[in-house]
Amino acid sequence: MSVVPTRLLQSGRRPLSPGSRAGLGAALVLLAIVSAVEVADGREVHYVALLAAAPVLAAALASWLVVLGVGVAATLVSVGFALVAPKVSLDTSVNVVAVALVTALAVAVAWVRQRQAERIVELTKLASVAQQAVLRPLGPQVGTLSVAGRYISSTATAEIGGDLYEAIDTPYGVRMIIGDVRGKGLDAVRLASIVLGSYRHVAYERADLRAVVADLDRAVARNVGDEDFVTAALVEERGGTLTIVNCGHPPPLLLRRGAVIPLEPPAPAPPLGFMPVVRPRVERLEPGDRLLLFTDGLGEARRDGEFFPTADRAWRLLGHGTVADGLASLETALVEWVHGRLDDDIALVLMEYVGARTSAAVAVPSWEVGAAES
């Protein structure tokens, strides 16, 4: 007696989702069980009311069209049992009507749940697009450097936050920035986009990293409150010379011949937004050197009160394969360490110095091409 409208269940356009298939399967099993029990009990109708559970069960997982199909099937089955019964009692009539009413309610619940699920999917896609606009993919080659970037979100429903990074080839060498905006949410994303937008402009304009810091500090100060700030580390590689300025950010780690060296600044400086006065640290690079830039989410990752041993594991995780392979290994080890639960987002940039330039050509911003030719 179980008749399920195929057109309603499959909608004639696209295959059922895994959730709809699971909900449909469970509902059909329930319909079959109740029908079998009712048939075995004889011609008297006693269990028709239980058929209302089928659309309710489907509503937990399936789309509203599937729930409607299951509900129609349950209603038709209940009507069939009522028609073959020797006498249609008032209770039987009430139960048949109840199955139809519960079907309508289940369809409404499934429709609301489906709309909410579709909205979450849409917001997730928008977040992914926003992340790609704010945090553009890095590498695999920027000037003399092999570069890879990675963003690890602390929540499964959010793919973007206040951590930022960028690497660009400028007339003054390859320049990179990594930063962390105080706070979370849309305000942090907005400020991160402001910092990156400013950096992508002034990194081409200023010959000295200290001037870049001053410009970024003004951009942050114009757009934040008294207690907001952005920690940042800026790195420049020019002709094999590495220059680092640090504004309240965790120091980068230099990986060289099996050793891991924290590149602490010569003097501490406050974050962007607090008028930092920075002193550069200068290192001479060797081919094969790698540099890890990271935000404080990596330093704060812990399990049972024990912090992730970044410096102790850095060479084993990051010193082999490509730079993208290294970041993938670091993320895997980190997620295993914290059992999949991070307290903060993490931005990672790993670069490898591959040697001096073979060409004297340097990158010139598109808006300067005409001026250079004239």
Side-chain angles (χ1 to χ4, degrees):
M1 289 188 177
S2 178
V3 179
V4 182
T6 303
R7 184 172 299 174
L8 282 174
L9 294 179
Q10 296 184 350
S11 73
R13 296 186 183 92
R14 51 189 174 185
L16 296 178
S17 67
S20 290
R21 288 196 297 269
L24 175 59
L28 292 179
V29 169
L30 181 60
L31 281 176
I33 292 175
V34 174
S35 299
V37 171
E38 190 68 76
V39 169
D41 192 53
R43 298 183 63 186
E44 295 293 333
V45 179
H46 297 107
Y47 305 103
V48 163
L50 295 178
L51 294 171
V56 173
L57 181 61
L61 297 171
S63 67
W64 71 269
L65 279 174
V66 171
V67 176
L68 178 59
V70 170
V72 169
T75 303
L76 292 177
V77 170
S78 65
V79 170
F81 279 120
L83 292 177
V84 300
K87 181 180 179 181
V88 180
S89 65
L90 177 61
D91 288 344
T92 300
S93 300
V94 170
N95 289 337
V96 171
V97 173
V99 171
L101 293 177
V102 170
T103 294
L105 180 61
V107 169
V109 170
W111 183 82
V112 172
R113 180 188 53 76
Q114 185 176 341
R115 288 296 299 265
Q116 290 177 339
E118 290 172 352
R119 182 165 178 79
I120 291 173
V121 170
E122 182 180 357
L123 291 175
T124 301
K125 290 180 179 178
L126 288 175
S128 179
V129 171
Q131 183 182 38
Q132 293 175 9
V134 175
L135 298 179
R136 302 183 301 199
L138 298 185
Q141 191 78 19
V142 182
T144 59
L145 307 177
S146 296
V147 180
R150 208 168 186 92
Y151 193 99
I152 307 173
S153 176
S154 60
T155 60
T157 56
E159 297 185 6
I160 188 169
D163 292 13
L164 58 98
Y165 56 74
E166 181 60 290
I168 50 181
D169 194 7
T170 77
Y172 311 107
V174 177
R175 286 179 164 177
M176 295 181 289
I177 185 174
I178 191 162
D180 190 355
V181 176
R182 178 185 180 273
K184 296 181 181 295
L186 293 178
D187 287 340
V189 176
R190 180 185 64 83
L191 184 53
S193 66
I194 290 172
V195 173
L196 283 174
S198 299
Y199 175 76
R200 287 163 181 160
H201 175 73
V202 300
Y204 286 102
E205 302 294 327
R206 305 299 187 188
D208 193 320
L209 282 182
R210 289 170 292 189
V212 175
V213 168
D215 286 341
L216 295 180
D217 177 66
R218 285 191 290 270
V220 171
R222 286 193 297 265
N223 291 278
V224 300
D226 295 336
E227 298 182 357
D228 296 323
F229 57 83
V230 181
T231 68
L234 285 74
V235 176
E236 175 188 284
E237 182 280 318
R238 190 190 313 191
T241 297
L242 187 71
T243 304
I244 304 171
V245 293
N246 197 313
C247 305
H249 199 77
L253 299 179
L254 176 63
L255 286 70
R256 173 179 292 168
R257 299 192 300 272
V260 179
I261 308 166
L263 299 183
E264 299 281 354
L272 299 174
F274 292 148
M275 295 184 293
V277 178
V278 294
R279 290 180 56 190
R281 173 163 181 165
V282 180
E283 298 284 338
R284 188 65 187 175
L285 290 174
E286 301 175 4
D289 281 354
R290 292 190 172 188
L291 188 73
L292 175 66
L293 310 175
F294 57 94
T295 53
D296 60 6
L298 179 61
E300 295 172 358
R302 70 180 79 183
R303 69 175 184 196
D304 301 327
E306 185 178 0
F307 291 99
F308 180 74
T310 303
D312 294 339
R313 294 193 178 188
W315 178 259
R316 181 165 59 86
L317 295 171
L318 303 171
H320 309 282
T322 67
V323 287
D325 293 337
L327 289 187
S329 297
L330 176 59
E331 180 179 358
T332 299
L334 178 65
V335 172
E336 289 178 353
W337 177 270
V338 299
H339 302 301
R341 293 186 296 181
L342 291 169
D343 295 328
D344 196 7
D345 295 352
I346 302 172
L348 303 169
V349 176
L350 182 62
M351 74 95 175
E352 179 179 358
Y353 177 63
V354 295
R357 292 178 185 267
T358 58
S359 171
V362 295
V364 178
S366 59
W367 60 83
E368 291 186 355
V369 172
E373 291 177 348
S374 61

